[in-house]
Amino acid sequence: MSEKSDKIDKIDAKIVSLLSEDGRMSCADISRRIGDVSERTVRYRIKRLIDGGIIRILPVVNPASLGYVVIADVFIEVEPAFIQEVAHKLASIECVTYVAFSIGERDVSIQIAARTNSDVYEFVTGTVAKLPGVRKTTTSIVPHVLKDLYTWPVPVEAIR
Amino acid sequence: MSEKSDKIDKIDAKIVSLLSEDGRMSCADISRRIGDVSERTVRYRIKRLIDGGIIRILPVVNPASLGYVVIADVFIEVEPAFIQEVAHKLASIECVTYVAFSIGERDVSIQIAARTNSDVYEFVTGTVAKLPGVRKTTTSIVPHVLKDLYTWPVPVEAIR
Amino acid sequence: MSEKSDKIDKIDAKIVSLLSEDGRMSCADISRRIGDVSERTVRYRIKRLIDGGIIRILPVVNPASLGYVVIADVFIEVEPAFIQEVAHKLASIECVTYVAFSIGERDVSIQIAARTNSDVYEFVTGTVAKLPGVRKTTTSIVPHVLKDLYTWPVPVEAIR
Amino acid sequence: MSEKSDKIDKIDAKIVSLLSEDGRMSCADISRRIGDVSERTVRYRIKRLIDGGIIRILPVVNPASLGYVVIADVFIEVEPAFIQEVAHKLASIECVTYVAFSIGERDVSIQIAARTNSDVYEFVTGTVAKLPGVRKTTTSIVPHVLKDLYTWPVPVEAIR
Amino acid sequence: MSEKSDKIDKIDAKIVSLLSEDGRMSCADISRRIGDVSERTVRYRIKRLIDGGIIRILPVVNPASLGYVVIADVFIEVEPAFIQEVAHKLASIECVTYVAFSIGERDVSIQIAARTNSDVYEFVTGTVAKLPGVRKTTTSIVPHVLKDLYTWPVPVEAIR
Amino acid sequence: MSEKSDKIDKIDAKIVSLLSEDGRMSCADISRRIGDVSERTVRYRIKRLIDGGIIRILPVVNPASLGYVVIADVFIEVEPAFIQEVAHKLASIECVTYVAFSIGERDVSIQIAARTNSDVYEFVTGTVAKLPGVRKTTTSIVPHVLKDLYTWPVPVEAIR
Amino acid sequence: MSEKSDKIDKIDAKIVSLLSEDGRMSCADISRRIGDVSERTVRYRIKRLIDGGIIRILPVVNPASLGYVVIADVFIEVEPAFIQEVAHKLASIECVTYVAFSIGERDVSIQIAARTNSDVYEFVTGTVAKLPGVRKTTTSIVPHVLKDLYTWPVPVEAIR
Amino acid sequence: MSEKSDKIDKIDAKIVSLLSEDGRMSCADISRRIGDVSERTVRYRIKRLIDGGIIRILPVVNPASLGYVVIADVFIEVEPAFIQEVAHKLASIECVTYVAFSIGERDVSIQIAARTNSDVYEFVTGTVAKLPGVRKTTTSIVPHVLKDLYTWPVPVEAIR
């Protein structure tokens, strides 16, 4: 499983890198910036990257800019019969920005964005902990996020 | 701090929502989909949302599509003098998709994407744990991520 | 949020400092000790500090002087539906000197003053742990308190 | 050790209770409010309570009013040879409002007042954790304090 | 509380020390071994030590000599309403050699003597854990006891 | 290993039980209390129980009677090269009443008798934690001991 | 208990060692490889080793060869009344390769073989955690097993 | 990865099952027991199963039969630079029956077979904990193993 992926080559990677500067950069501009690749190829390549599930081009919202300046991780232990339900309910709540399952001691982990520490406490004890099946929650305030998946570049070793 | 943000109104939210379908949707299409907003306004609004730091339009790469099918959370306890250095070094490593500081027992938490469980073990014990200042690591395999920040919509309560 | 508070200046801070020696020091004495501030100004300043919620002038009772020589911290995990009730019930009990909510693993933390270790054990297992909704308690004996909020001076960096 | 203290009777308790309303209430007012106790007795009683170490009359500063809106508990494990030094150094730092020794797993526990969660993180990792002898810190954000020692009344069972 | 006890002097301590060699040593022998203390005084002193609750002269049974070669500590978390009952029930069981209450995370701690590790497991899961009110047990095998209370000598600093 | 011990029969058990009332009860009295056993047999049996290592007749000192009213358990993690040394040093200290090795997370566990909680704290942080090789200590106050090995009777199932 | 076992001598050990190369090696070949032991003796010795319960000759299946490339340890806390039932149910499940009881904090520990991390998560939360009596599970992925009981040789010190 | 393995069919599975009764059962006997499969096919199938790495036919030694009646799990935290060395050193020690790497809090886990609990303690503190790079060990006694990998049958769902 350590061989290179067939799905992405240097031109693809260059396109993704330019889109990271501006996800709406025109194919013409991308073509010009790369140099020896036609606008048409760029358009085709972007389509293939999206259709192949390699990338999604999305507007990532910055919670802090909307006043959600407090970020917190919550690790949740859930009665097994309720895990799917708890995870999906949490995923449908607006202030929840991340929901994942976890192998270890905790079953589900989430990240939330809130306006104040009190809002975090109230959300965790008043909403999360009251969902049917939730047994225990552990909360950690996150003072700063340095890198996030949406800025994750294509790894060099994955490029054909 | 619980008052509504001044920064985003219903039209902005609608634009962000359409961009979530396709981050490269043309302003003309967005205008047509919304109905009573001109293409020019859409263009201006998108520019203001980006310049105001509310959104970034980005290509989000899907690690699994490139063969990185194993996701793991690593919680790291670091000698205080080395925290900044450890966090920045980890952020510069390709297989690390997330780096954040944490208030509680652990100082830094990261998420990594790997091809196999052995690669996770090797990366954690061979790279993370050997960074100067790292005292202890705790790793959790993440079998599935249900929701991520890059799909986080503008919360209704934040809309003016 | 790191700018100086508007609420307190050097004269206020000097007055608070003198009141820390004796909370009932007369305004005339305070005026004399400061030197270039009239008794009337002192009186006005104290009133403003109190009315503005900056200080409260209070008799702080010393539990040890009344025979409550054992201090203990109790960390309490509570069923979410009962947190407010548990916290308020504990706050109404005489031997409880401190009640706070906590973000992390425990929901409520209290401090108690008791005559003996047996009284601590009896209070924790016989009263705290029996409140409806209390799931688990962890107790730590506090052999000595070196500094407490009621002796907290106005921080220099907060003075205008 | 469970017998009543000799140090405080009902009149003392009534005086302390009135001072809790206003620590600078005049002895004349206190005498009038109690009814059958002379101003002179009140003055004498207050002096005896203070000289006997039962109460201290103090201006308690409200951190939140000065912009210190974030409260955090930090539990600290210290090399034994450094415990006294660490505790005293922490007690001398302005943003530290509480310092105590603890019997259990942690050696020292403190409470701090800060302007933001980032300031808490920076203080814990940049100052506390770097003190010589500090081995490990665990931090908990305190969203709300419901009762504090400085509002602790004389317990009924301690009154002669 | 750090002053010397009035209850025991050097002669008492010497008598206790000789009884530690042989709890049935005759008063005549003790008198002879000490030298300048009459047999009558020895008899009186022993009686006073016992009547004063300072010492008990007892046959301490060695579990290993009877085939109980495995010693284990069990720490027990109990529903508060059941603590007294659980502790007393355990104290009445033959293989339980020690029962105490504990301030911290666990409510009751016991020591047991068993013939094999399987007997320990069976006793803990089959008897202790099934007592009404027992929530959780943690067991530690004790491979060797180096010192026990019944060989604890009178501390020098306690001798008048 | 589950067969009955050969070492003790009903008469032995009866003698041990009577010695538990008074370790210095004369053989004549024991003979009379049992009824059909001669004084000579009693003397012989006691000698055999002691010589066979089944019992030791000892004066057990009551720490509380000498002012050591606070009991604490201390669990100690030790660098492996120092375990024997740490255990033996602790066993030689007067306020330490129990020392044992432990299989699990902690290497050595002790019980101490002290005059006050402050003395416990000072002993643990000032003496135990400073022994070369000691890595970490966890202390639990013991408010009451209900049963101890020195009052452990011969189990019925061990009697031939 | 530290004396040598009577059950195995150097010839036995040599036979076991040769069978480790190939469990179906013929007695003739074993005889030839050892040199001075007849085929008949070899046959007799193997029979005695098997009949005496010293060895079992078995086909050990390699899970990875069948696609079960993920190994995980699961530690399980069980209501005491259900321990036997839970352990036996788990032992009857195909993907469970190891089931044991455990003295400590957890009651039962198992090892499982699965095709993917998701299958591990699904099995633990969907099957293990739902067995009646299971209170809590903790899972650890095992990236590599270096030595296993079925390759455990006869220890030199056990050979007569 | 969830499709059926190509490597094993019903006849193979039947052969493996018969070998589990007796790993040295002759091909003729196996052929007779199955019924419609020739001895030659059986021989060929066994060879293919072994050569393909599906099974190994081995003599599994029973530690208890040689006096190693105590089984213990030891979880080990290791300095990352020493993990490979520690694991390999442990694998080379006779009383160690299992060595594996682990993703979570502990780096290496082993199982040992010993004659007594004291031997376990001595081995863990005297050998394991003293290996260069070992930071911490946690030991659990295993009173009974119910199922082990060497009795793991071919799962039905893996059979073609």
Side-chain angles (χ1 to χ4, degrees), chain C residues 46-75:
Chain C
I46 291 176
K47 187 171 161 24
R48 215 191 43 188
L49 286 167
I50 292 171
D51 292 354
I54 318 280
I55 64 168
R56 295 171 67 185
I57 299 175
L58 294 165
V60 178
V61 181
N62 174 9
S65 74
L66 302 176
Y68 299 90
V69 295
V70 180
I71 305 290
D73 284 332
V74 189
F75 305 100

mmCIF file of all heavy atoms in Angstrom, chain C residues 46-75:
data_model
loop_
_atom_site.group_PDB
_atom_site.id
_atom_site.type_symbol
_atom_site.label_atom_id
_atom_site.label_comp_id
_atom_site.label_asym_id
_atom_site.label_seq_id
_atom_site.Cartn_x
_atom_site.Cartn_y
_atom_site.Cartn_z
ATOM 1 N N ILE C 46 -14.177 55.569 46.949
ATOM 2 C CA ILE C 46 -14.592 54.275 47.524
ATOM 3 C C ILE C 46 -16.008 53.941 47.054
ATOM 4 O O ILE C 46 -16.289 52.822 46.627
ATOM 5 C CB ILE C 46 -14.518 54.307 49.072
ATOM 6 C CG1 ILE C 46 -13.053 54.385 49.513
ATOM 7 C CG2 ILE C 46 -15.204 53.070 49.665
ATOM 8 C CD1 ILE C 46 -12.858 54.508 51.017
ATOM 9 N N LYS C 47 -16.901 54.942 47.142
ATOM 10 C CA LYS C 47 -18.277 54.705 46.701
ATOM 11 C C LYS C 47 -18.303 54.259 45.232
ATOM 12 O O LYS C 47 -19.009 53.305 44.873
ATOM 13 C CB LYS C 47 -19.093 55.996 46.870
ATOM 14 C CG LYS C 47 -20.585 55.799 46.585
ATOM 15 C CD LYS C 47 -21.396 57.023 46.960
ATOM 16 C CE LYS C 47 -22.775 57.052 46.265
ATOM 17 N NZ LYS C 47 -23.333 55.791 45.837
ATOM 18 N N ARG C 48 -17.513 54.935 44.400
ATOM 19 C CA ARG C 48 -17.505 54.597 42.976
ATOM 20 C C ARG C 48 -16.945 53.184 42.728
ATOM 21 O O ARG C 48 -17.456 52.424 41.917
ATOM 22 C CB ARG C 48 -16.666 55.610 42.192
ATOM 23 C CG ARG C 48 -17.232 55.897 40.806
ATOM 24 C CD ARG C 48 -16.256 56.691 39.975
ATOM 25 N NE ARG C 48 -14.896 56.153 40.153
ATOM 26 C CZ ARG C 48 -13.788 56.729 39.680
ATOM 27 N NH1 ARG C 48 -13.864 57.862 39.031
ATOM 28 N NH2 ARG C 48 -12.605 56.176 39.885
ATOM 29 N N LEU C 49 -15.911 52.842 43.474
ATOM 30 C CA LEU C 49 -15.337 51.485 43.334
ATOM 31 C C LEU C 49 -16.368 50.420 43.715
ATOM 32 O O LEU C 49 -16.468 49.370 43.061
ATOM 33 C CB LEU C 49 -14.086 51.331 44.218
ATOM 34 C CG LEU C 49 -12.826 52.058 43.716
ATOM 35 C CD1 LEU C 49 -11.762 52.099 44.821
ATOM 36 C CD2 LEU C 49 -12.249 51.348 42.482
ATOM 37 N N ILE C 50 -17.105 50.685 44.780
ATOM 38 C CA ILE C 50 -18.109 49.714 45.226
ATOM 39 C C ILE C 50 -19.292 49.694 44.250
ATOM 40 O O ILE C 50 -19.712 48.632 43.786
ATOM 41 C CB ILE C 50 -18.584 50.034 46.660
ATOM 42 C CG1 ILE C 50 -17.428 49.789 47.648
ATOM 43 C CG2 ILE C 50 -19.802 49.194 47.030
ATOM 44 C CD1 ILE C 50 -17.691 50.269 49.057
ATOM 45 N N ASP C 51 -19.819 50.868 43.921
ATOM 46 C CA ASP C 51 -20.983 50.928 43.022
ATOM 47 C C ASP C 51 -20.635 50.364 41.643
ATOM 48 O O ASP C 51 -21.489 49.769 40.983
ATOM 49 C CB ASP C 51 -21.475 52.377 42.878
ATOM 50 C CG ASP C 51 -22.065 52.896 44.190
ATOM 51 O OD1 ASP C 51 -22.188 52.094 45.137
ATOM 52 O OD2 ASP C 51 -22.382 54.089 44.276
ATOM 53 N N GLY C 52 -19.401 50.537 41.230
ATOM 54 C CA GLY C 52 -18.994 50.019 39.906
ATOM 55 C C GLY C 52 -18.656 48.542 39.921
ATOM 56 O O GLY C 52 -18.251 47.972 38.911
ATOM 57 N N GLY C 53 -18.834 47.909 41.078
ATOM 58 C CA GLY C 53 -18.600 46.461 41.148
ATOM 59 C C GLY C 53 -17.126 46.083 41.113
ATOM 60 O O GLY C 53 -16.777 44.929 40.871
ATOM 61 N N ILE C 54 -16.252 47.067 41.337
ATOM 62 C CA ILE C 54 -14.817 46.758 41.312
ATOM 63 C C ILE C 54 -14.398 46.079 42.620
ATOM 64 O O ILE C 54 -13.636 45.127 42.605
ATOM 65 C CB ILE C 54 -13.959 48.053 41.134
ATOM 66 C CG1 ILE C 54 -14.536 49.002 40.106
ATOM 67 C CG2 ILE C 54 -12.495 47.709 40.869
ATOM 68 C CD1 ILE C 54 -14.272 48.673 38.683
ATOM 69 N N ILE C 55 -14.883 46.610 43.740
ATOM 70 C CA ILE C 55 -14.543 45.988 45.032
ATOM 71 C C ILE C 55 -15.797 45.807 45.883
ATOM 72 O O ILE C 55 -16.818 46.469 45.667
ATOM 73 C CB ILE C 55 -13.511 46.821 45.846
ATOM 74 C CG1 ILE C 55 -14.107 48.195 46.245
ATOM 75 C CG2 ILE C 55 -12.198 46.985 45.099
ATOM 76 C CD1 ILE C 55 -13.248 48.935 47.279
ATOM 77 N N ARG C 56 -15.683 44.874 46.808
ATOM 78 C CA ARG C 56 -16.669 44.741 47.886
ATOM 79 C C ARG C 56 -15.865 44.778 49.181
ATOM 80 O O ARG C 56 -14.816 44.143 49.264
ATOM 81 C CB ARG C 56 -17.408 43.406 47.791
ATOM 82 C CG ARG C 56 -18.246 43.311 46.531
ATOM 83 C CD ARG C 56 -18.786 41.912 46.335
ATOM 84 N NE ARG C 56 -19.759 41.595 47.385
ATOM 85 C CZ ARG C 56 -20.327 40.387 47.523
ATOM 86 N NH1 ARG C 56 -19.978 39.394 46.718
ATOM 87 N NH2 ARG C 56 -21.198 40.175 48.488
ATOM 88 N N ILE C 57 -16.341 45.550 50.172
ATOM 89 C CA ILE C 57 -15.631 45.566 51.460
ATOM 90 C C ILE C 57 -16.389 44.647 52.410
ATOM 91 O O ILE C 57 -17.575 44.838 52.676
ATOM 92 C CB ILE C 57 -15.485 47.002 52.001
ATOM 93 C CG1 ILE C 57 -14.670 47.814 50.971
ATOM 94 C CG2 ILE C 57 -14.763 46.983 53.362
ATOM 95 C CD1 ILE C 57 -14.533 49.283 51.295
ATOM 96 N N LEU C 58 -15.688 43.605 52.871
ATOM 97 C CA LEU C 58 -16.356 42.483 53.530
ATOM 98 C C LEU C 58 -15.573 41.968 54.733
ATOM 99 O O LEU C 58 -14.340 42.056 54.737
ATOM 100 C CB LEU C 58 -16.432 41.299 52.562
ATOM 101 C CG LEU C 58 -17.280 41.423 51.328
ATOM 102 C CD1 LEU C 58 -16.913 40.300 50.365
ATOM 103 C CD2 LEU C 58 -18.744 41.332 51.719
ATOM 104 N N PRO C 59 -16.251 41.393 55.707
ATOM 105 C CA PRO C 59 -15.543 40.681 56.776
ATOM 106 C C PRO C 59 -15.292 39.242 56.306
ATOM 107 O O PRO C 59 -16.237 38.491 56.108
ATOM 108 C CB PRO C 59 -16.536 40.698 57.940
ATOM 109 C CG PRO C 59 -17.876 40.755 57.290
ATOM 110 C CD PRO C 59 -17.707 41.382 55.925
ATOM 111 N N VAL C 60 -14.028 38.864 56.060
ATOM 112 C CA VAL C 60 -13.730 37.494 55.648
ATOM 113 C C VAL C 60 -13.467 36.671 56.907
ATOM 114 O O VAL C 60 -12.583 36.997 57.694
ATOM 115 C CB VAL C 60 -12.511 37.445 54.704
ATOM 116 C CG1 VAL C 60 -12.197 36.011 54.319
ATOM 117 C CG2 VAL C 60 -12.770 38.282 53.460
ATOM 118 N N VAL C 61 -14.279 35.645 57.094
ATOM 119 C CA VAL C 61 -14.189 34.817 58.299
ATOM 120 C C VAL C 61 -13.091 33.773 58.104
ATOM 121 O O VAL C 61 -12.975 33.180 57.037
ATOM 122 C CB VAL C 61 -15.540 34.126 58.575
ATOM 123 C CG1 VAL C 61 -15.463 33.275 59.833
ATOM 124 C CG2 VAL C 61 -16.654 35.166 58.680
ATOM 125 N N ASN C 62 -12.303 33.544 59.136
ATOM 126 C CA ASN C 62 -11.224 32.553 59.089
ATOM 127 C C ASN C 62 -11.716 31.221 59.660
ATOM 128 O O ASN C 62 -11.855 31.090 60.887
ATOM 129 C CB ASN C 62 -10.044 33.075 59.910
ATOM 130 C CG ASN C 62 -8.937 32.049 60.037
ATOM 131 O OD1 ASN C 62 -8.985 31.014 59.386
ATOM 132 N ND2 ASN C 62 -7.960 32.330 60.881
ATOM 133 N N PRO C 63 -11.971 30.230 58.824
ATOM 134 C CA PRO C 63 -12.559 28.974 59.337
ATOM 135 C C PRO C 63 -11.725 28.344 60.456
ATOM 136 O O PRO C 63 -12.272 27.854 61.435
ATOM 137 C CB PRO C 63 -12.598 28.068 58.104
ATOM 138 C CG PRO C 63 -12.564 28.975 56.926
ATOM 139 C CD PRO C 63 -11.766 30.175 57.370
ATOM 140 N N ALA C 64 -10.404 28.370 60.327
ATOM 141 C CA ALA C 64 -9.545 27.723 61.328
ATOM 142 C C ALA C 64 -9.762 28.320 62.705
ATOM 143 O O ALA C 64 -9.740 27.617 63.719
ATOM 144 C CB ALA C 64 -8.077 27.835 60.915
ATOM 145 N N SER C 65 -10.022 29.629 62.769
ATOM 146 C CA SER C 65 -10.192 30.271 64.078
ATOM 147 C C SER C 65 -11.442 29.761 64.785
ATOM 148 O O SER C 65 -11.586 29.889 65.984
ATOM 149 C CB SER C 65 -10.273 31.784 63.905
ATOM 150 O OG SER C 65 -11.539 32.137 63.355
ATOM 151 N N LEU C 66 -12.360 29.187 64.031
ATOM 152 C CA LEU C 66 -13.587 28.649 64.620
ATOM 153 C C LEU C 66 -13.523 27.135 64.765
ATOM 154 O O LEU C 66 -14.522 26.483 65.018
ATOM 155 C CB LEU C 66 -14.789 29.040 63.755
ATOM 156 C CG LEU C 66 -14.991 30.547 63.545
ATOM 157 C CD1 LEU C 66 -16.150 30.801 62.593
ATOM 158 C CD2 LEU C 66 -15.269 31.234 64.882
ATOM 159 N N GLY C 67 -12.341 26.565 64.567
ATOM 160 C CA GLY C 67 -12.187 25.131 64.762
ATOM 161 C C GLY C 67 -12.274 24.327 63.488
ATOM 162 O O GLY C 67 -12.065 23.113 63.486
ATOM 163 N N TYR C 68 -12.559 24.979 62.366
ATOM 164 C CA TYR C 68 -12.619 24.263 61.085
ATOM 165 C C TYR C 68 -11.204 24.220 60.518
ATOM 166 O O TYR C 68 -10.849 24.993 59.641
ATOM 167 C CB TYR C 68 -13.580 24.965 60.120
ATOM 168 C CG TYR C 68 -14.981 25.022 60.660
ATOM 169 C CD1 TYR C 68 -15.404 26.093 61.437
ATOM 170 C CD2 TYR C 68 -15.867 23.972 60.425
ATOM 171 C CE1 TYR C 68 -16.686 26.129 61.952
ATOM 172 C CE2 TYR C 68 -17.150 24.007 60.944
ATOM 173 C CZ TYR C 68 -17.557 25.087 61.711
ATOM 174 O OH TYR C 68 -18.819 25.102 62.230
ATOM 175 N N VAL C 69 -10.393 23.323 61.051
ATOM 176 C CA VAL C 69 -8.968 23.338 60.722
ATOM 177 C C VAL C 69 -8.624 22.492 59.494
ATOM 178 O O VAL C 69 -7.510 22.539 59.001
ATOM 179 C CB VAL C 69 -8.111 22.870 61.923
ATOM 180 C CG1 VAL C 69 -8.247 23.876 63.066
ATOM 181 C CG2 VAL C 69 -8.519 21.477 62.382
ATOM 182 N N VAL C 70 -9.573 21.697 59.020
ATOM 183 C CA VAL C 70 -9.308 20.857 57.852
ATOM 184 C C VAL C 70 -10.012 21.449 56.628
ATOM 185 O O VAL C 70 -11.224 21.674 56.656
ATOM 186 C CB VAL C 70 -9.779 19.398 58.076
ATOM 187 C CG1 VAL C 70 -9.496 18.554 56.839
ATOM 188 C CG2 VAL C 70 -9.110 18.808 59.307
ATOM 189 N N ILE C 71 -9.218 21.687 55.575
ATOM 190 C CA ILE C 71 -9.761 22.216 54.317
ATOM 191 C C ILE C 71 -9.672 21.091 53.286
ATOM 192 O O ILE C 71 -8.669 20.380 53.237
ATOM 193 C CB ILE C 71 -8.909 23.414 53.824
ATOM 194 C CG1 ILE C 71 -8.784 24.501 54.885
ATOM 195 C CG2 ILE C 71 -9.457 23.976 52.506
ATOM 196 C CD1 ILE C 71 -10.048 25.245 55.158
ATOM 197 N N ALA C 72 -10.710 20.923 52.468
ATOM 198 C CA ALA C 72 -10.653 19.893 51.420
ATOM 199 C C ALA C 72 -11.294 20.396 50.144
ATOM 200 O O ALA C 72 -12.282 21.128 50.174
ATOM 201 C CB ALA C 72 -11.351 18.613 51.881
ATOM 202 N N ASP C 73 -10.701 20.017 49.010
ATOM 203 C CA ASP C 73 -11.296 20.256 47.695
ATOM 204 C C ASP C 73 -12.060 19.008 47.285
ATOM 205 O O ASP C 73 -11.536 17.894 47.437
ATOM 206 C CB ASP C 73 -10.197 20.498 46.647
ATOM 207 C CG ASP C 73 -9.583 21.884 46.751
ATOM 208 O OD1 ASP C 73 -10.264 22.807 47.195
ATOM 209 O OD2 ASP C 73 -8.394 22.023 46.385
ATOM 210 N N VAL C 74 -13.257 19.182 46.754
ATOM 211 C CA VAL C 74 -14.026 18.042 46.243
ATOM 212 C C VAL C 74 -14.420 18.335 44.798
ATOM 213 O O VAL C 74 -15.011 19.387 44.518
ATOM 214 C CB VAL C 74 -15.295 17.780 47.090
ATOM 215 C CG1 VAL C 74 -15.957 16.468 46.672
ATOM 216 C CG2 VAL C 74 -14.972 17.771 48.572
ATOM 217 N N PHE C 75 -14.034 17.422 43.889
ATOM 218 C CA PHE C 75 -14.370 17.562 42.473
ATOM 219 C C PHE C 75 -15.528 16.615 42.186
ATOM 220 O O PHE C 75 -15.448 15.430 42.520
ATOM 221 C CB PHE C 75 -13.154 17.250 41.616
ATOM 222 C CG PHE C 75 -11.980 18.103 42.003
ATOM 223 C CD1 PHE C 75 -10.965 17.601 42.810
ATOM 224 C CD2 PHE C 75 -11.923 19.431 41.617
ATOM 225 C CE1 PHE C 75 -9.908 18.402 43.207
ATOM 226 C CE2 PHE C 75 -10.871 20.235 42.012
ATOM 227 C CZ PHE C 75 -9.861 19.725 42.812
#
